């Protein structure tokens, strides 16, 4: 359920889905496609050049000077469908992933090609289902996974060596992750070369005791088939995870001691710049996090630890960043209640708090060893701006000057960066800037889209705050229809997600199916209630242990607030949500006592007992210790409260949703049926949690038409 960066694979799949758009959503999809950006940015090692993906070509540009760009691939490349690519460290070779066969929502197998010396050659051809391939630091080897085992390919000799041989589906996984690590810890490549390329560390998952989930596949066949995979639900057995190191010269393998507790998480492994192995360790409750360093002689020591009464925010690749052989940066919130950067030493421990204040660092962009560049919410929780500061916390500089939302792609050594800026009124503008924030040149500015938006006077989000009956101040926005007349009353659709640490109200350009309603005379409204992110630890963690209690209160407060406004029709208020948002929309429909005329819940969680261990337990503890947190707010237990004479309910789900299983909707409908309730339902056969690969557009058009017909 965790939100993610928009990957190249996801972009390709989304384009495939939106190609089928029709009706009102077709116009939304067309406008979205006009928002310009740079795809597949990679900085070259010199920090002076970068590459991008343009169609099925990789093109090299200079940061400082405009030019046509240099193709990095021999032509023709018609057989390629580039999903991803990476350069070897000496940049004489390019490893290209072509095509994608999905495994789960984010993982896929692919075909690999090697571009070098003016030729393009398929590699890893003996592999049946290769994935997660990458170069060694010396560029001589390519490691990859195939059918749950780890392999190493010698690029010069063209030979493959098998590192593990016990991989088996639904049993043992080497070098890649199981389902729940992929979904919740956000990575699939579970191996790392040492800096000298002589060793490779990898994770070994034993999921033998993890309960089996069977998901029915139909696929247009005469006899449907069950797709079985290991999925640990809240409170159930997780994989046992081990850290192994293989000496690539001798072939010897060693299991690394990760402590006596096996019911824990190892969410990252890596090597320090001087070649010492480290790994992250997190307890099952996820409220104790440690970074363990392995010394060459076998000793281990904890170089960083963090503890929280509720939970430690989930770690990712930016949680710990090594500056050099001794110093490393940590991004954490437990010390001050806001997410900030801290400098540590392997030898000395804590050195300095690098950033401070009642705002949050949202991303660590890079460091040159003297300064660190980061994005933060210092001007507003709704916005992101780029700053740099010395590692001792002094000489802070704001490098971006507009009010809105920046994303940053840095060059090596932070000589330059590519900034993509937008705000609610302004689609993407992409610029090259130097490391001091000075604009160098503009790459794209979505001019055609800006002109169309201005010509059609498309409504823009209006941000505001409101105070609930309990006294909480919440951020919100409205999208008003064209020609808005404050003396008239308009139907209102609440759109929200509301999950822990999430954010829906932000000053960034976006367009989705809800915006089509503004063209039809509807107001679209959104608020981020308690438990959402970027307003400090206290605001976020207040929902701990009782998911769906305070969040529902806040959405109902928002609905009552809107109903009292002179421009809103109190008899025509609806609510929508997807995933956690679907859980919320459904809960609000059941507990709203008829305040909502319509509710749409897409892929909703209906009991947190059905959802995965990592996500659910970090926010709700284990069900063995907090049964009330799982049952007291389950929509299934409130089916009797649906006022189906006043609230039209639409449930939508894909049958191949490996994330929020179709089981959630099945059990919800069972409860509604037992209570004699009437509702509507839309089922998408063999579609996943995102309604891909085929129905991205169809589901959105369905929601538009349902809203127009019932609100």
């Amino acid at each position: 359920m965790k939100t993610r960066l928009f990957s190249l694979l996801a972009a390709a799949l989304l384009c495939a889905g939106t190609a089928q758009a029709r009706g009102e959503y077709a116009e939304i999809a067309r406008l979205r496609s006009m928002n310009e950006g740079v795809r597949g940015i990679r900085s070259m090692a010199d920090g002076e050049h970068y590459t991008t993906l343009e169609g099925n070509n990789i093109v090299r540009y200079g940061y400082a000077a405009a030019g046509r760009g240099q193709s990095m691939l021999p032509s023709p490349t018609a057989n390629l469908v580039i999903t991803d690519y990476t350069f070897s460290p000496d940049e004489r070779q390019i490893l290209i992933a072509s095509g994608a066969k999905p495994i789960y929502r984010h993982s896929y197998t692919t075909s690999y090609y090697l571009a070098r010396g003016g030729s393009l050659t398929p590699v890893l051809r003996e592999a049946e289902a290769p994935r997660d391939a990458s170069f060694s630091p010396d560029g001589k080897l390519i490691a990859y996974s195939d059918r749950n085992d780890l392999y190493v390919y010698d690029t010069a000799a063209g030979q493959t060596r098998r590192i593990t041989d016990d991989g088996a589906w639904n049993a043992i996984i080497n070098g890649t992750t199981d389902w729940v690590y992929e979904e919740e810890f956000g990575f699939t490549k579970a191996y790392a070369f040492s800096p000298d390329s002589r060793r490779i560390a990898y994770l070994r998952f034993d999921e033998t005791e993890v309960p089996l989930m069977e998901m029915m596949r139909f696929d247009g066949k005469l006899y449907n088939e069950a797709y079985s995979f290991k999925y640990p639900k809240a409170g159930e057995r997780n994989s046992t995870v081990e850290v192994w190191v293989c000496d690539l010269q001798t072939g010897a393998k060693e299991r690394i001691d990760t402590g006596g507790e096996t019911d824990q998480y190892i969410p990252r492994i890596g090597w320090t710049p001087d070649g010492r192995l480290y790994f992250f360790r997190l307890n099952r409750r996820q409220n104790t996090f440690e970074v363990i360093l392995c010394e060459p002689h076998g000793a281990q020591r904890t170089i960083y630890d963090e503890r929280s009464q509720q939970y430690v925010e989930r770690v990712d690749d930016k949680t710990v960043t090594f500056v050099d052989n001794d110093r490393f940066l940590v991004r954490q919130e437990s010390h001050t209640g806001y997410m900030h950067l801290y400098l540590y030493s392997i030898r000395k421990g804590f050195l300095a708090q690098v950033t401070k204040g009642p705002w949050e660092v949202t991303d660590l962009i890079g460091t040159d060893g003297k300064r660190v560049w980061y994005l933060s919410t210092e001007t507003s929780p709704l916005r992101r701006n780029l700053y740099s500061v010395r590692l001792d916390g002094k000489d802070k500089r704001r490098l971006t000057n507009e009010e809105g939302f920046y994303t940053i792609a840095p060059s090596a050594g932070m000589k330059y960066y590519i900034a993509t800026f937008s705000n609610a009124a302004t689609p993407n503008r992409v610029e090259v800037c130097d490391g001091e924030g000075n604009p160098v040149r503009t790459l794209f500015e979505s001019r055609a889209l800006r002109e169309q938006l201005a010509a059609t006077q498309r409504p823009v989000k209006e941000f505001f705050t409101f105070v609930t009956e309990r006294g909480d101040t919440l951020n919100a926005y409205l999208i008003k229809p064209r020609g808005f007349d404050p003396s008239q009353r308009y139907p209102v659709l609440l759109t929200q997600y509301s999950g822990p640490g999430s954010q829906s109200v932000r000053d960034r350009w976006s367009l989705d199916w809800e915006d089509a309603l503004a063209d039809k005379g509807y107001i679209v409204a959104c608020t981020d209630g308690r438990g959402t992110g970027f307003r400090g630890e206290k605001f976020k963690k207040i929902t701990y242990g009782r998911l769906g209690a305070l969040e529902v209160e806040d959405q109902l407060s928002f609905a009552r607030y809107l109903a009292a406004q002179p421009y809103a029709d109190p008899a025509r208020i609806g609510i929508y949500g997807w995933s956690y948002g679907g859980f919320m929309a459904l809960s609000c429909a059941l507990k709203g006592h008829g305040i909502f005329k319509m509710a749409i819940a897409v892929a909703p969680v209906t009991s947190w007992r059905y959802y995965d261990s990592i996500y659910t337990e970090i926010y709700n503890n284990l069900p063995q210790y907090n049964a009330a947190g799982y049952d007291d707010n389950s929509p299934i237990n409130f089916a009797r409260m649906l006022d189906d004479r006043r609230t039209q309910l639409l449930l939508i789900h894909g049958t191949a949703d490996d994330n929020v299983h179709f089981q959630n909707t099945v059990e919800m409908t069972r409860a509604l049926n037992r209570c004699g309730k009437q509702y509507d339902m839309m089922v998408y056969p063999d579609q996943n949690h995102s309604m891909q690969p085929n129905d991205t557009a169809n589901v959105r058009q369905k929601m538009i038409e349902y809203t127009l017909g019932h609100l």
Side-chain angles (χ1 to χ4, degrees):
M1 195 166 292
K2 187 178 178 181
T3 56
R4 299 173 179 276
L5 292 177
F6 202 64
S7 68
L8 301 180
L9 173 62
L13 289 171
L14 180 59
C15 291
T18 53
Q20 303 174 31
R22 67 179 180 87
E24 291 83 3
Y25 185 67
E27 174 63 8
I28 297 295
R30 184 186 71 83
L31 291 172
R32 287 176 61 173
S33 70
M34 297 173 65
N35 195 26
E36 295 180 317
V38 183
R39 181 170 167 244
I41 304 172
R42 303 285 188 274
S43 172
M44 304 294 284
D46 62 4
E48 300 288 345
H49 298 84
Y50 66 95
T51 58
T52 67
L53 267 180
E54 298 179 11
N56 279 324
N57 198 9
I58 300 168
V59 183
R60 179 177 181 264
Y61 295 93
Y63 282 104
R68 293 183 56 188
Q70 173 191 357
S71 174
M72 303 296 288
L73 298 180
S75 58
T77 59
N79 293 331
L80 288 181
V81 181
I82 300 179
T83 305
D84 203 356
Y85 72 98
T86 184
F87 283 88
S88 62
D90 63 7
E91 298 180 340
R92 295 180 180 178
Q93 305 175 88
I94 309 175
L95 181 62
I96 299 168
S98 177
K101 182 179 179 181
I103 303 172
Y104 299 122
R105 196 153 63 107
H106 309 288
S107 56
Y108 59 93
T109 61
T110 185
S111 298
Y112 285 100
Y113 291 79
L114 199 59
R116 58 180 176 183
S119 65
L120 187 65
T121 307
V123 291
L124 315 184
R125 285 177 290 182
E126 70 282 4
E128 182 177 311
R131 55 180 292 198
D132 298 311
S134 69
F135 284 108
S136 60
D138 63 8
K140 297 179 180 179
L141 304 173
I142 296 173
Y144 66 95
S145 176
D146 180 22
R147 293 160 294 170
N148 288 13
D149 275 317
L150 186 62
Y151 296 79
V152 170
Y153 173 78
D154 188 313
T155 60
Q159 297 177 344
T160 298
R161 187 197 317 180
R162 187 170 188 166
I163 303 300
T164 67
D165 58 9
D166 60 345
W169 180 253
N170 284 339
I172 304 297
I173 309 172
N174 294 289
T176 57
T177 58
D178 66 358
W179 186 95
V180 75
Y181 269 59
E182 172 185 328
E183 177 67 26
E184 304 301 352
F185 287 135
F187 74 111
T188 59
K189 193 188 82 168
Y191 67 84
F193 281 104
S194 62
D196 61 7
S197 302
R198 295 181 179 181
R199 293 169 291 167
I200 188 169
Y202 61 92
L203 296 182
R204 180 184 184 272
F205 291 78
D206 183 344
E207 56 179 359
T208 306
E209 300 300 320
V210 177
L212 191 68
M213 186 70 196
E214 291 196 340
M215 183 175 67
M216 192 57 64
R217 298 283 312 190
F218 300 92
D219 297 310
K221 296 179 179 178
L222 183 61
Y223 291 93
N224 51 282
E225 299 176 353
Y227 177 81
S228 301
F229 62 104
K230 295 301 184 85
Y231 183 107
K233 298 196 176 188
E236 300 295 324
R237 288 286 297 271
N238 280 323
S239 295
T240 300
V241 183
E242 299 173 342
V243 179
W244 286 75
V245 174
C246 177
D247 187 312
L248 295 175
Q249 294 181 322
T250 66
K253 288 183 285 187
E254 175 190 7
R255 185 173 71 85
I256 304 301
D257 181 15
T258 56
E261 178 60 71
T262 59
D263 191 13
Q264 62 182 3
Y265 300 109
I266 310 292
R268 289 295 188 278
I269 54 173
W271 302 83
T272 63
D274 61 356
R276 288 177 284 179
L277 177 70
Y278 68 86
F279 60 88
F280 293 178
R281 185 166 65 195
L282 190 65
N283 66 332
R284 177 79 184 245
R285 274 280 312 277
Q286 300 178 70
N287 62 359
T288 300
F289 166 59
E290 301 169 286
V291 181
I292 310 299
L293 182 71
C294 303
E295 299 287 6
H297 50 76
Q300 293 184 356
R301 58 192 176 102
T302 301
I303 59 173
Y304 175 77
D305 71 274
E306 182 180 350
R307 301 170 192 272
S308 172
Q309 184 176 351
Q310 295 100 351
Y311 60 88
V312 175
E313 185 57 66
R314 272 179 293 176
V315 300
D316 58 27
D317 292 336
K318 303 290 185 69
T319 301
V320 174
T321 302
F322 278 91
V323 177
D324 50 37
N325 291 342
D326 180 60
R327 296 178 299 163
F328 60 97
L329 288 159
V330 175
R331 184 166 59 95
Q332 61 108 314
E333 65 185 350
S334 297
H335 285 356
T336 66
Y338 291 90
M339 194 68 73
H340 280 296
L341 297 175
Y342 299 82
L343 185 66
Y344 282 80
S345 162
I346 292 176
R347 293 179 297 108
K348 300 178 181 179
F350 174 78
L351 295 178
Q353 181 174 349
V354 182
T355 63
K356 59 185 65 176
W359 44 267
E360 308 218 333
V361 172
T362 61
D363 194 10
L364 191 159
I365 300 302
T367 179
D368 63 359
K370 298 177 182 178
R371 303 183 68 84
V372 58
W373 284 254
Y374 63 91
L375 288 169
S376 81
T377 63
E378 186 165 356
T379 63
S380 166
L382 280 59
R383 297 174 180 142
R384 305 290 185 270
N385 274 284
L386 181 67
Y387 296 80
S388 78
V389 66
R390 281 184 3 204
L391 292 178
D392 61 5
K394 298 178 181 179
D395 189 27
K396 183 175 72 174
R397 306 170 190 170
R398 178 175 169 178
L399 304 181
T400 50
N401 53 24
E402 295 198 60
E403 295 304 327
F405 207 101
Y406 283 89
T407 59
I408 305 294
S411 75
M414 293 305 307
K415 297 179 181 179
Y416 300 92
Y417 59 85
I418 295 175
T420 301
F421 168 82
S422 75
N423 60 28
T426 310
N428 285 355
R429 184 183 71 246
V430 185
E431 290 183 317
V432 177
C433 300
D434 65 23
E436 298 298 320
N438 301 306
V440 174
R441 57 194 177 92
T442 299
L443 301 180
F444 301 102
E445 50 186 341
S446 305
R447 181 173 298 173
L449 174 58
R450 292 182 190 220
E451 292 173 353
Q452 288 204 25
L453 295 175
T456 58
Q457 297 183 331
R458 175 159 288 281
V460 175
K461 293 175 183 175
E462 299 178 15
F463 297 101
F464 66 101
T465 61
F466 83 101
V467 180
T468 69
E469 299 95 329
R470 290 161 299 280
D472 298 300
T473 300
L474 304 181
N475 294 320
Y477 70 72
L478 293 180
I479 302 174
K480 297 175 181 176
R482 292 186 185 90
F484 174 76
D485 182 351
S487 67
Q488 295 186 16
R489 290 188 178 271
Y490 296 87
V492 181
L493 177 73
L494 273 62
T495 179
Q496 48 74 50
Y497 181 75
S498 303
S502 67
Q503 185 176 44
S504 297
V505 182
R506 54 185 184 176
D507 192 5
R508 186 177 191 178
W509 193 86
S510 65
L511 208 61
D512 209 334
W513 74 273
E514 302 99 318
D515 294 271
L517 299 175
D519 298 334
K520 300 290 186 178
Y522 287 70
I523 290 174
V524 177
C526 180
T527 190
D528 281 333
R530 287 169 292 175
T532 56
F534 309 105
R535 292 185 58 184
E537 184 180 30
K538 182 179 179 181
F539 186 85
K540 179 178 65 176
K541 294 183 178 179
I542 194 172
T543 60
Y544 177 78
R546 45 180 175 166
L547 295 182
L550 305 184
E551 304 97 305
V552 168
E553 285 184 5
D554 289 344
Q555 293 300 322
L556 294 179
S557 289
F558 191 42
R560 289 190 290 267
Y561 166 83
L562 291 169
Q565 303 308 305
Y567 53 76
D569 184 344
R572 299 176 67 191
I573 297 177
I575 188 168
Y576 149 79
W578 193 310
S579 193
Y580 198 102
F583 160 70
M584 287 289 298
L586 185 54
S587 298
C588 288
L590 299 177
K591 297 179 179 180
H593 302 293
I595 192 173
F596 296 108
K597 185 180 180 184
M598 182 212 73
I600 300 175
V602 187
V605 174
T606 60
S607 170
W608 290 108
R609 292 183 181 273
Y610 298 152
Y611 200 59
D612 77 57
S613 55
I614 293 176
Y615 184 95
T616 313
E617 293 168 9
I618 192 174
Y619 304 124
N620 229 22
N621 204 337
L622 278 70
Q624 293 91 324
Y625 310 121
N626 183 28
Y630 285 78
D631 300 329
D632 287 359
N633 295 291
S634 167
I636 292 173
N637 296 329
F638 293 90
R640 69 189 184 281
M641 294 178 62
L642 177 65
D643 187 346
D644 55 3
R645 292 170 298 179
R646 299 167 64 187
T647 302
Q648 297 292 315
L649 172 63
L650 174 61
L651 297 171
I652 300 176
H653 219 125
T655 64
D657 190 337
D658 60 283
N659 183 15
V660 179
H661 303 141
F662 189 50
Q663 171 193 26
N664 284 268
T665 288
V666 168
E667 295 301 335
M668 188 69 233
T669 59
R670 188 197 307 275
L672 291 168
N673 294 343
R674 285 175 174 171
C675 295
K677 302 298 182 179
Q678 297 295 310
Y679 55 91
D680 295 305
M681 189 168 175
M682 192 78 169
V683 175
Y684 287 89
D686 301 318
Q687 300 304 289
N688 68 10
H689 192 59
S690 304
M691 300 302 176
Q692 293 176 351
N694 302 317
D695 291 321
T696 306
N698 183 283
V699 66
R700 286 165 171 80
Q701 182 62 33
K702 173 64 181 178
M703 293 190 292
I704 293 171
E705 294 177 5
Y706 194 84
T707 304
L708 295 177
H710 294 88
L711 184 61

